[in-house]
Amino acid sequence: MLRVVRLLKILPLFALQRVMIWLIALSCLAAGPVFAQERVLGLRVGVHPDKTRIVLDLTGELPYSLFSLADPYRVVVDMPAVAWATGNGSAGAGAGLVAGYRFGLFRRDNSRVVLDLTRPAKVSRTFFLPAAAGKPVRLVIDLAPVDRESFLANAGFKGRQRIGDTGTSADRPARTGQVELPPPVIRSEKTTIVVDAGHGGVDPGATSRSGHYEKDIVLDVARRLQRQLLNSGRYRVVMTRETDVFVPLRERVNIARNAGADLFVSVHADSLRSAKVRGASVYSLSEKASDKEAAQLAAKENSSDVIAGISIGNETDDIVRSILIDLAQRETKNKSVRFAKLLLPELGGVGALLRNSHRYAGFRVLMAPDVPSVLVELGLLSNAADEKLLMSSRGRDKLAAAISEAIDRYFAERQS
Ligand SMILES: [Zn+2]
């Protein structure tokens, strides 16, 4: 009953990108991977009368490239995988034309800085300053305001400025233009569970009261879940990510489909403005959100690609629509709901549950038409009790065990 879902028209960009990827692959072969040692020591944003200046302190010069994206206005700086002095990527507040920024690994071999702009702006100048007077090598990026029309004229992949660029695999992300969902190709004797640790790399997700990132917490829980499932001997487990790397939402869906997944579990931990609210919740896909909070959460989780500096453009609504129509995959939907209902009491046995703890909304990561999929918010990082649970090794083990138990029950029921 598999039907290929035609999501999008093929973007002409796609062919171009493939050529670029090949060129990049060749240039990498020639040059060898030499940038992994470079480190970013810091990032500053300074406001001048005529420009906003971003300075990256580096241990050495490295190839980089820049491009801009509209709606929301962003400037993206790509470079080879580098180490960050501040750890595994971070976010910060901006100044002037920069509203805020994030940096981290975008792909295994590609680090990225995403600058959120307060208004349309262009990169007016970029250059390296050599190490001098006790200061490290600096990459300087100047931004100057422009109007929306000229921003749009230069935005996107076409407007990419290649400066000293060996080209990184940053070219790949724009493959969001990619189109047909391939049919599942791998079938396993064992039941296949795809465990999806939310966010990652340049997308930190929510931040806890004490400054821990959702991306790190959920990856650890996902790994514990993976181990528990493998230990049972009953499952084959596929992870959408195993490191602190960004994975586009659609790619997560594709991983599930290509793996021939029997179940997809996306693991998250949200944060709210109110510190009082606590509890886990489980979400399944629906065209109409069950309530305002679920719709807001879906919008937040769906913004992952925007946060990581991917252009999703206008096609997004079409994708959502077409998948939701194909979501006449009623069977998939029913299975997802059944799993969600098994999962909640298990989670409730570990910590608190949100009111109306099973909700529905248009989560993009749950849109595999043929894979029962749920998104679980393990708790609220804005709440002290939930944070404590999520920051403890025991708490994480228990949460992973709750999910693992629900998975056992779900497949046991199916067999009987
Ligand atoms: Zn999340």
Side-chain angles (χ1 to χ4, degrees):
M1 270 292 287
L2 270 176
R3 199 143 71 73
V4 175
V5 184
R6 197 169 288 267
L7 298 176
L8 277 172
K9 290 145 264 136
I10 294 191
L11 300 181
L13 229 44
F14 184 47
L16 175 67
Q17 281 149 22
R18 285 177 66 160
V19 172
M20 283 168 136
I21 288 165
W22 273 109
L23 288 176
I24 287 152
L26 287 174
S27 66
C28 287
L29 279 176
V34 289
F35 305 105
Q37 307 305 320
E38 300 299 355
R39 298 201 309 141
V40 176
L41 304 168
L43 189 155
R44 296 185 299 282
V45 183
V47 183
H48 301 255
D50 56 334
K51 61 181 176 266
T52 298
R53 172 166 282 188
I54 296 100
V55 181
L56 277 96
D57 291 330
L58 304 165
T59 51
E61 290 191 15
L62 41 73
Y64 65 96
S65 63
L66 295 158
F67 63 101
S68 51
L69 295 169
D71 306 321
Y73 299 116
R74 287 154 290 163
V75 166
V76 178
V77 189
D78 276 335
M79 61 193 88
V82 292
W84 307 88
T86 52
N88 56 4
S90 185
L97 294 166
V98 178
Y101 61 85
R102 293 168 297 285
F103 55 84
L105 205 57
F106 182 70
R107 294 274 171 169
R108 195 188 303 254
D109 48 2
N110 168 207
S111 287
R112 168 169 287 194
V113 180
V114 183
L115 305 163
D116 296 323
L117 305 182
T118 52
R119 52 155 298 168
K122 66 168 184 190
V123 177
S124 53
R125 215 178 145 210
T126 70
F127 55 93
F128 281 109
L129 283 170
K135 288 185 175 163
V137 172
R138 283 145 291 163
L139 170 59
V140 180
I141 300 164
D142 285 341
L143 299 178
V146 289
D147 59 26
R148 177 170 169 84
E149 284 65 40
S150 77
F151 183 92
L152 291 180
N154 290 302
F157 210 70
K158 273 181 297 183
R160 188 175 192 123
Q161 300 179 20
R162 302 192 149 264
I163 304 157
D165 183 16
T166 61
T168 66
S169 53
D171 294 316
R172 270 182 270 153
R175 282 181 69 188
T176 24
Q178 191 186 1
V179 252
E180 280 181 6
L181 291 177
V185 285
I186 303 161
R187 273 285 158 201
S188 171
E189 298 266 297
K190 284 185 180 172
T191 301
T192 300
I193 314 292
V194 173
V195 178
D196 176 51
H199 312 276
V202 69
D203 168 22
T207 307
S208 83
R209 292 158 52 93
S210 52
H212 296 280
Y213 290 127
E214 174 183 2
K215 65 173 184 175
D216 299 319
I217 296 168
V218 298
L219 177 60
D220 187 56
V221 174
R223 284 212 195 98
R224 289 167 197 255
L225 174 59
Q226 176 192 30
R227 275 198 296 275
Q228 291 179 15
L229 291 170
L230 289 175
N231 285 345
S232 78
R234 284 190 284 274
Y235 306 104
R236 168 176 165 254
V237 181
V238 175
M239 306 283 282
T240 55
R241 69 178 180 98
E242 292 190 77
T243 57
D244 181 29
V245 64
F246 173 76
V247 182
L249 294 174
R250 197 176 315 170
E251 195 169 311
R252 297 171 193 255
V253 175
N254 285 345
I255 289 169
R257 299 198 74 243
N258 292 339
D262 296 288
L263 186 66
F264 175 89
V265 183
S266 187
V267 185
H268 291 255
D270 195 19
S271 164
L272 292 178
R273 224 168 289 158
S274 162
K276 280 189 205 141
V277 188
R278 70 168 297 200
S281 48
V282 178
Y283 298 80
S284 54
L285 181 63
S286 168
E287 191 169 5
K288 266 184 92 176
S290 53
D291 52 275
K292 203 174 76 198
E293 286 80 13
Q296 281 168 350
L297 180 71
K300 190 157 43 160
E301 299 293 5
N302 288 347
S303 69
S304 188
D305 290 352
V306 171
I307 284 169
I310 289 186
S311 171
I312 45 177
N314 297 330
E315 74 267 23
T316 312
D317 288 345
D318 291 341
I319 298 169
V320 173
R321 216 169 294 127
S322 66
I323 298 187
L324 288 172
I325 291 163
D326 277 277
L327 186 95
Q329 273 80 4
R330 191 156 293 193
E331 201 189 329
T332 304
K333 191 174 171 179
N334 290 344
K335 285 178 181 170
S336 307
V337 169
R338 197 161 63 75
F339 177 66
K341 288 190 168 150
L342 287 169
L343 179 53
L344 279 166
E346 298 296 336
L347 290 170
V350 179
L353 291 179
L354 262 190
R355 207 162 31 86
N356 304 326
S357 43
H358 177 207
R359 299 176 177 195
Y360 312 85
F363 291 91
R364 207 162 288 143
V365 79
L366 301 181
M367 287 183 180
D370 47 359
V371 183
S373 304
V374 303
L375 182 143
V376 50
E377 298 282 353
L378 295 171
L380 290 163
L381 296 169
S382 38
N383 173 271
D386 276 7
E387 189 194 29
K388 197 174 159 207
L389 178 73
L390 281 159
M391 290 312 296
S392 79
S393 176
R394 234 171 86 85
R396 289 179 185 183
D397 271 337
K398 281 185 178 173
L399 288 165
I403 301 172
S404 165
E405 179 64 31
I407 291 173
D408 281 347
R409 283 168 162 252
Y410 172 79
F411 287 105
E413 258 186 26
R414 242 177 43 161
Q415 245 121 60
S416 57

